[in-house]
Amino acid sequence: AACCYLVCDRLTDSKSGDVITVTIGATVPTGFEHTAAEEVKEKIGVAARISKDRGRIYFPITTDKLFQVHLLRSVDNLFVVVEEYDHYQFKQSKEETLLELQQLASKLPWTNALEVWKLNGTLKKKKGHRKGGNTTKVKPNRNTTEVAAADTEQQLHQVASAAEGQLEAESAADAEPCEQDSQEAAPEAKVIKFRVTCNRAGDKHSFSSNEAARDFGGAVQEFFQWKADMTKFDIEVLLNIHNEEMVIGIALTEESLHRRNISHFGPTTLRSTLCYGMLRLCKPQASDVILDPMCGTGAIPLEGAIEFSSSFYIAGDNNDMAVNRTVNNICHIQKRRADKDRISGLPIDTVQWDLCSLPIRTSSVDIIITDMPFGKRMGSKKKNWDLYPLCLREMARVCRPGSGKAVLLTQDKKCFAKAISRMGGLWRKLHTVWVNVGGLHAGVYLLKRTGAVFGQTPEDVHESRGICEFKLRPG
């Protein structure tokens, strides 16, 4: 028998709009699960549990505080958990397993999760359909708002009727279709469209992700009488399977929250959620001067200027296209803030420069945080062997001895380790977080600037700083 956690506990009658408690699941950048859990504790005040499946956390929340989950900066996607199985005993044969998944659909406690989905819809503005769907925008006015509200009410009534049917006795459930027929004879309810997405990891399953999604989705469709639609769906049901762990949920985000700051993308733009994790590692303080010498599209300093706004950020790159993208992204955020009647100014400045000869005073920067070229999409591994020592030395020059820090992301681990060893004790490695960046296994290195005086270490005596002539990345 499977070990099951019932995760949608009814506190009061959801029909009357009272508070209920549910479990929220969140996908986060792999490697930064603990950072996300810390943020949840800090901002929502509850303890988050880190999943065995890397890149996911779970935490409880009451519906009166649901809006707070959308304020989290470290999460990519959010979903409300319908039910979770810690040790689900999948059958040996594919046919038996898929049949069991079909039977499971009608037994799950959908009611509270659907209540949360409804409430979530009222918390966020509709931005048309999801990617791939109909994105036609209509100017908001009183009439369209009223029509949308009426459609939503019809949808909510349909969802509530279907979900609450499972709580009735069997005889009442048999009579329910007649009741629904009479209700539909009045104003015709809009048919809810849905899809099931299965994310599966593990090599001991007899079925594929597509087969699980197909059979489970068919049973969900039969139970709720919803219409399947892969692109223009209203509800996305999630079936997450990791070895023996299985979680069924309903998505609360239409697109990943990591795209929140960037309007002008480059070939190596970092996810905003990963930028946030890197920033939390170095713990920015009020009045800190924070430098990104290879800013690309400005994703890191932009996230910092928004979330840690008491520090000042300098974003620079040697490529004019990258600098232009950064400026455009800053302008985009400022305009968005002005439209919401908020202070539009951001504590950030942008400069085009030579990375290995920065126009910055020695020992004037508190924190350096950047995404270094991996040598894959931008630059090359061969160039990194020359570039890394040069830029690490220049970073050591501008960083404050004894108190300065650096958070550097790179996939070229061997080259980075060699470069650090050539710094003559200017940098000391404190911590490494292993992350997944576009399918590449990379490291986020937290370095401490030692008290060694720049220009007086053994390596500095034998090697001049030199001039950097490397073209790094166009964004």
Side-chain angles (χ1 to χ4, degrees):
C3 176
C4 157
Y5 294 101
L6 181 63
V7 291
C8 285
D9 300 317
R10 178 178 293 276
L11 297 187
T12 49
D13 185 4
S14 58
K15 233 175 142 184
S16 61
D18 291 331
V19 174
I20 56 177
T21 297
V22 294
T23 293
I24 296 295
T27 59
V28 302
T30 303
F32 279 107
E33 295 89 351
H34 287 282
T35 301
E38 285 172 10
E39 188 195 11
V40 169
K41 183 68 176 175
E42 180 185 298
K43 294 183 177 177
I44 301 179
V46 296
R49 174 174 55 85
I50 296 169
S51 171
K52 296 174 190 173
D53 186 9
R54 292 191 74 199
R56 285 195 180 92
I57 64 169
Y58 297 95
F59 56 92
I61 199 164
T62 50
T63 47
D64 58 329
K65 295 181 179 178
L66 184 64
F67 71 94
Q68 292 179 334
V69 303
H70 290 283
L71 304 178
L72 296 172
R73 309 293 293 187
S74 56
V75 304
D76 289 318
N77 289 287
L78 295 158
F79 57 94
V80 56
V81 178
V82 176
E83 188 131 59
E84 179 180 7
Y85 298 88
D86 193 32
H87 295 286
Y88 194 90
Q89 300 299 313
F90 291 103
K91 296 289 190 288
Q92 289 296 317
S93 77
K94 180 197 294 189
E95 291 72 20
E96 285 181 303
T97 300
L98 294 177
L99 178 61
E100 197 170 67
L101 286 176
Q102 292 174 34
Q103 294 169 344
L104 185 65
S106 61
K107 299 173 185 175
L108 293 169
W110 295 98
T111 309
N112 284 3
L114 287 169
E115 286 294 329
V116 170
W117 171 77
K118 291 188 292 183
L119 175 60
N120 187 67
T122 66
L123 293 177
K124 54 191 179 63
K125 293 179 181 178
K126 296 292 182 185
K127 295 181 181 178
H129 286 289
R130 299 165 195 242
K131 191 175 180 181
N134 178 11
T135 54
T136 306
K137 293 183 180 177
V138 181
K139 284 189 178 180
N141 58 50
R142 192 172 178 181
N143 292 336
T144 56
T145 304
E146 286 171 0
V147 170
D151 284 347
T152 303
E153 282 303 313
Q154 288 177 330
Q155 279 189 342
L156 302 192
H157 179 73
Q158 185 186 1
V159 170
S161 297
E164 284 157 13
Q166 71 188 69
L167 301 177
E168 304 295 333
E170 243 182 284
S171 57
D174 291 337
E176 193 176 309
C178 302
E179 236 176 82
Q180 287 180 341
D181 288 343
S182 63
Q183 287 171 357
E184 286 170 9
E188 189 179 340
K190 181 182 174 184
V191 176
I192 288 182
K193 297 176 183 178
F194 85 106
R195 83 172 185 190
V196 171
T197 301
C198 178
N199 301 298
R200 186 184 61 86
D203 54 6
K204 294 183 179 178
H205 303 131
S206 59
F207 55 92
S208 68
S209 300
N210 285 340
E211 288 168 338
R214 179 197 66 204
D215 286 39
F216 183 71
V220 169
Q221 181 179 25
E222 188 176 336
F223 180 64
F224 285 109
Q225 295 301 300
W226 293 340
K227 182 181 178 182
D229 194 316
M230 296 298 104
T231 55
K232 300 177 182 179
F233 49 90
D234 304 300
I235 296 180
E236 182 174 23
V237 177
L238 303 173
L239 185 61
N240 296 327
I241 300 170
H242 180 257
N243 294 324
E244 291 183 340
E245 185 181 74
M246 182 167 72
V247 180
I248 298 99
I250 295 175
L252 299 180
T253 44
E254 294 188 352
E255 64 175 0
S256 177
L257 301 176
H258 79 260
R259 295 175 174 270
R260 56 182 172 252
N261 298 334
I262 306 299
S263 56
H264 295 72
F265 287 84
T268 59
T269 301
L270 271 191
R271 292 150 62 190
S272 295
T273 46
L274 180 55
C275 297
Y276 178 80
M278 292 173 67
L279 283 155
R280 275 190 76 107
L281 262 186
C282 57
K283 298 181 172 62
Q285 302 297 312
S287 77
D288 275 353
V289 175
I290 300 177
L291 172 71
D292 184 349
M294 296 176 270
C295 68
T297 55
I300 296 173
L302 255 177
E303 182 66 25
I306 294 167
E307 188 65 13
F308 303 96
S309 57
S310 57
S311 301
F312 183 78
Y313 299 82
I314 305 173
D317 206 290
N318 73 333
N319 187 284
D320 55 349
M321 289 174 64
V323 174
N324 287 337
R325 285 193 185 107
T326 299
V327 170
N328 287 331
N329 283 324
I330 293 169
C331 292
H332 169 73
I333 294 292
Q334 289 177 328
K335 183 179 184 304
R336 195 168 73 186
R337 289 160 73 99
D339 290 344
K340 294 179 180 178
D341 296 324
R342 294 166 62 189
I343 297 172
S344 61
L346 291 169
I348 186 172
D349 205 353
T350 311
V351 190
Q352 183 173 358
W353 55 32
D354 173 4
L355 165 65
C356 300
S357 183
L358 298 172
I360 294 176
R361 286 201 315 265
T362 299
S363 306
S364 61
V365 172
D366 297 288
I367 295 170
I368 297 169
I369 179 166
T370 197
D371 171 19
M372 301 179 78
F374 287 12
K376 297 277 188 182
R377 292 180 213 164
M378 287 296 145
S380 69
K381 296 268 188 180
K382 185 178 178 182
K383 285 184 178 179
N384 283 352
W385 283 96
D386 293 320
L387 173 65
Y388 277 25
L390 288 171
C391 68
L392 278 168
R393 185 166 286 110
E394 182 67 351
M395 290 177 192
R397 180 185 71 81
V398 302
C399 199
R400 297 190 196 278
S403 63
K405 288 175 280 191
V407 175
L408 309 176
L409 168 66
T410 179
Q411 190 259 344
D412 200 344
K413 299 178 277 289
K414 186 176 178 182
C415 179
F416 184 80
K418 181 65 176 175
I420 287 290
S421 71
R422 292 175 60 189
M423 288 301 101
L426 292 170
W427 292 109
R428 181 163 58 90
K429 191 163 67 174
L430 296 180
H431 183 57
T432 306
V433 177
W434 300 111
V435 297
N436 185 312
V437 182
L440 299 174
H441 183 63
V444 176
Y445 298 90
L446 173 61
L447 308 179
K448 175 77 180 291
R449 175 67 168 88
T450 66
V453 179
F454 183 82
Q456 296 183 12
T457 64
E459 289 294 333
D460 284 325
V461 172
H462 293 98
E463 292 187 35
S464 61
R465 276 205 343 251
I467 302 298
C468 179
E469 297 177 349
F470 299 97
K471 285 289 179 185
L472 298 182
R473 57 156 78 80

